Amino acid sequence: MQISNPARYTVTAALIYANGPIHIGHLAGCYIPADIYVRYLRSTGKEVAFISGTDEHGVPITIRAKKEGLTPQQVVDKYYEQIDAAFKELGISFDVYSRTSKKVHHETSQEIFKDLYDKEVFVEEVTEQYFDETAQQFLADRYIVGTCPVCANPNAYGDQCERCGSTLSPLELKDPRSTLSGASPVLKATKNWYLPLDKMQPQIEAYINEHKEWKTNVFGQCQSWLKDGLKPRAMTRDLDWGIQVPLPDTDGKVLYVWFEAPIGYISATKDWLIQQNGSAEGWQKWWQPGNAENGETKLVHFIGKDNIVFHCIIFPAMLMAEGNYILADNVPANEFMNLEGDKISTSRNWAVWLHEYLEELPGKQDVLRYVLTANAPETKDSEFTWKDFQTRNNSELVGIYGNFINRAVVLTHKFCEGKVPARGALEEIDTNTLRELEAFPARIAEAMENYRFREALTFIMDLARLGNKYLADTQPWHAIKTDPARVNTILNVALQISASLAIVSEPVLPFTAAKISEQLGLKATWKDAGNADLLTAGQPVLEAKLLFEKIEDHIIEKQVQKLHDAKRMNELESKTVTAVKPEIQFEDFAKMDIRIATILEAENVPKSKKLLKLLVDIGLEKRTVLSGIAEHFKAEEVIGKKVLYLANLAPRKMMGMESQGMILMAEDRDGSLAFVQPGKDVWNGGTVN
């Protein structure tokens, strides 16, 4: 059952791992929708706590630390600061952006674990888990890779196959191996504490079935898990990075990251109040059931679809077992956003990173917010392309939205001395337009309240279109010649539309809305939107400044090329050195006559893309060699080069010519060739021993 009239809202946005930067997939899936919703609620006068932070425990952190040669703490410090700064610059309006490495989080997580332990909620069980004998440690799911039993992907993780999306357990993998040492792990007994989701299923099922209003993807995924039957899940892990299990004799055991991470919303709320007031006093009103005196609190989780099970089943089960917390009223999870025809992948560097976007396209925060909202993966996966980004900016933000506001302000300065003109008698087109204006805020609000932000944005743009059409139909630039009083009315109506547009746009386009409000001298909230008298006759209007500017082709081409360059570099970095060829004897090597030679002449071989015809001086004589290096070097570039030359290779006919011997080259990881040259000017014919 939905809470119909809450006294306040606790809104959370997923705690992202502090093991790398934020990319547009994160923004479209979770953070921009959450920010739009919160900004809307605040504009309507609601009391809201907007909570998020970084998840600083778990295996992804330790994997990144090993990769970067840092400690886990250094990794989380680095990425927390980067993520926090990027969110602020994009205008994500968290009340608090906290960290799960904070003392208040450790204490809160341990308190809840100990409470469940004391209530005998957990099932203590000894099981066999994979252990790396080389690294001498138990392996978390992400430290195990093997062949997926579903799609045969040879590099599936112990918890999930990223190729087919199947949820797995390490024991299901074929040919498992440790990512730490590459060794085949062995099974070893260990004790952990399990949350008995199987026993709790009726209670969880009842909770889920109370929320048939949830998005289809969320409700459907929950039903799928319930249909398969819930299984106990370990709430502790054998790791050395995380929150210590608060029980005796548990060294080397930490709380499961998906036990303590969602508790991070609660501890972040405490952290927020500590930062504000020096004390966490009062945090309960945001998390514990209300009463007739203070009313109900509505909890909403914004997440991506890969976190549905944790927020809709596991976290609620923990809170049910504890008994003193509210449960989520809604979990409006989005699907995934793809990029230029491919899945976003941090490991392949196929992503648009927020901190780089902000640096390379300064002042365009609202453009990104607009495009990601207009193309949000609300009901199915969507795709971001730089061409669509350019088109939406140029055609919609510049051509429709910005054009209307600019025309209204410019014409006010041209015909009305830069002041809001008085409205005279209304004609039918004026009354119809004002009637339409009045209806927009309710339509937009209804979409916002039901998490349909793409639809809300469509209505916002339709309001800008209404303004453009009104000016086009009334043509004040012509009316000024015969009826200046009529122009006053037209521009008054246009400016009233502009004011309402600023109010309803603010959740999506906060920077733009602030510019319009400053331009119009507007101070208003959502309840004022749609009002035909928001602006008072005579109040000054600042001179027009372009809200958006066209984005040229070369800027887009640079971003697309950057993506492909990053992908290529990642592919090259992941290349491994070729394995050593089968062993030979010294006598085999001694048969090879490798000498120093100088290239005297070079020319392209007709009808061949690969071959250069070389004349080389090997000291004893000059020889002709056909070398397959034409795609790497121009003929004139190689003349005069000292090279290594295999002199006793049997001659070979190619393209009707005989090649005598071979020039030895080194191949780089990107497939490019390089000459292997002596360190000093060795004489031609000098041998390589």
Side-chain angles (χ1 to χ4, degrees), residues 210-222:
E210 285 181 351
H211 290 287
K212 291 183 171 66
E213 78 281 358
W214 285 1
K215 292 171 70 170
T216 303
N217 62 332
V218 178
F219 190 77
Q221 192 178 127
C222 291

Side-chain angles (χ1 to χ4, degrees), residues 61 76 94 132 151 169 250 268 311 321 365 406 423 437 445 508 519-520 571 573 596 616 671 683:
I61 305 298
V76 297
F94 297 122
D132 185 329
C151 72
S169 74
T250 53
H311 286 76
Q365 295 97 319
N406 187 64
R423 193 164 65 229
L437 167 63
V508 185
Q519 214 166 29
L520 301 180
E571 289 170 351
E573 288 172 3
I596 303 300
V616 298
W683 66 321

Side-chain angles (χ1 to χ4, degrees), residues 17 29 96 125 170 179 271-272 321 511 525 584 607 624 637 665:
Y17 280 127
V96 63
E125 192 172 338
T179 62
D271 185 29
W272 170 43
F511 298 96
T525 60
I584 64 171
K607 299 181 181 179
T624 298
E637 291 177 335
M665 307 290 291

Side-chain angles (χ1 to χ4, degrees), residues 597-604 612-617 622 625 627 629-630 632-643 663 665 675 677 684:
T598 300
I599 300 174
L600 302 176
E601 298 175 6
E603 60 182 284
N604 290 89
L612 285 182
K613 179 182 176 183
L614 309 176
L615 181 66
V616 298
D617 182 351
K622 297 181 179 68
V625 177
S627 182
I629 61 174
H632 302 270
F633 301 97
K634 295 178 180 178
E636 59 268 23
E637 291 177 335
V638 304
I639 295 172
K641 293 281 188 187
K642 289 274 188 182
V643 297
I663 304 297
M665 307 290 291
F675 287 103
Q677 297 177 289
N684 290 335

Side-chain angles (χ1 to χ4, degrees), residues 263-511:
I263 293 173
Y265 301 133
I266 301 168
S267 63
T269 307
K270 295 178 180 179
D271 185 29
W272 170 43
L273 297 173
I274 290 168
Q275 291 180 38
Q276 281 189 322
N277 309 317
S279 165
E281 185 178 348
W283 69 269
Q284 292 91 342
K285 82 171 185 177
W286 300 103
W287 284 99
Q288 297 191 336
N291 51 50
E293 184 179 339
N294 59 29
E296 292 183 292
T297 299
K298 180 172 179 173
L299 173 61
V300 182
H301 294 310
F302 281 88
I303 57 169
K305 70 176 179 182
D306 51 339
N307 288 339
I308 289 173
V309 64
F310 303 109
H311 286 76
C312 297
I313 292 177
I314 296 175
F315 187 41
M318 292 161 47
L319 298 182
M320 289 175 191
E322 203 283 339
N324 290 311
Y325 288 86
I326 58 174
L327 304 181
D329 186 75
N330 212 311
V331 187
N334 273 359
E335 299 292 294
F336 291 151
M337 174 167 276
N338 298 319
L339 173 62
E340 298 285 354
D342 198 357
K343 288 184 177 180
I344 292 176
S345 171
T346 56
S347 62
R348 293 186 290 117
N349 203 13
W350 188 252
V352 176
W353 304 105
L354 176 57
H355 69 290
E356 292 181 356
Y357 173 92
L358 294 168
E359 182 179 332
E360 294 166 14
L361 293 161
K364 291 183 171 54
Q365 295 97 319
D366 276 355
V367 180
L368 185 62
R369 292 175 65 107
Y370 177 85
V371 173
L372 295 182
T373 305
N375 199 21
E378 290 181 350
T379 55
K380 61 182 180 180
D381 288 358
S382 64
E383 182 171 11
F384 178 96
T385 68
W386 278 108
K387 194 64 185 172
D388 178 67
F389 174 89
Q390 180 187 28
T391 299
R392 288 188 182 277
N393 177 81
N394 294 355
S395 299
E396 297 170 17
L397 291 176
V398 174
I400 298 171
Y401 190 112
N403 180 55
F404 166 62
I405 298 294
N406 187 64
R407 285 206 293 175
V409 173
V410 166
L411 291 172
T412 298
H413 275 269
K414 187 173 182 180
F415 301 141
C416 305
E417 299 179 339
K419 297 177 182 178
V420 176
R423 193 164 65 229
L426 298 179
E427 297 184 3
E428 183 178 3
I429 190 172
D430 308 323
T431 55
N432 288 342
T433 298
L434 291 174
R435 190 180 303 114
E436 286 190 62
L437 167 63
E438 186 180 11
F440 269 100
R443 284 185 219 153
I444 297 166
E446 196 270 339
M448 294 272 192
E449 287 167 4
N450 288 283
Y451 315 106
R452 300 193 305 268
F453 305 112
R454 235 174 28 194
E455 180 183 298
L457 184 57
T458 298
F459 289 142
I460 291 167
M461 290 304 295
D462 284 345
L463 179 54
R465 288 184 177 93
L466 174 70
N468 272 320
K469 185 177 186 303
Y470 176 72
L471 287 178
D473 290 346
T474 54
Q475 297 184 320
W477 45 89
H478 291 320
I480 192 67
K481 300 171 186 175
T482 57
D483 193 351
R486 175 66 186 144
V487 171
N488 287 345
T489 298
I490 293 169
L491 291 181
N492 180 286
V493 171
L495 290 172
Q496 304 296 351
I497 295 172
S498 301
S500 284
L501 188 58
I503 296 169
V504 298
S505 299
E506 194 275 340
V508 185
L509 307 173
F511 298 96

Side-chain angles (χ1 to χ4, degrees), residues 33 177 199 268 423 457 524 565 581 680 685:
R177 61 191 185 277
K199 295 177 183 177
R423 193 164 65 229
L457 184 57
D565 288 347
K581 293 180 180 179
K680 65 176 184 177

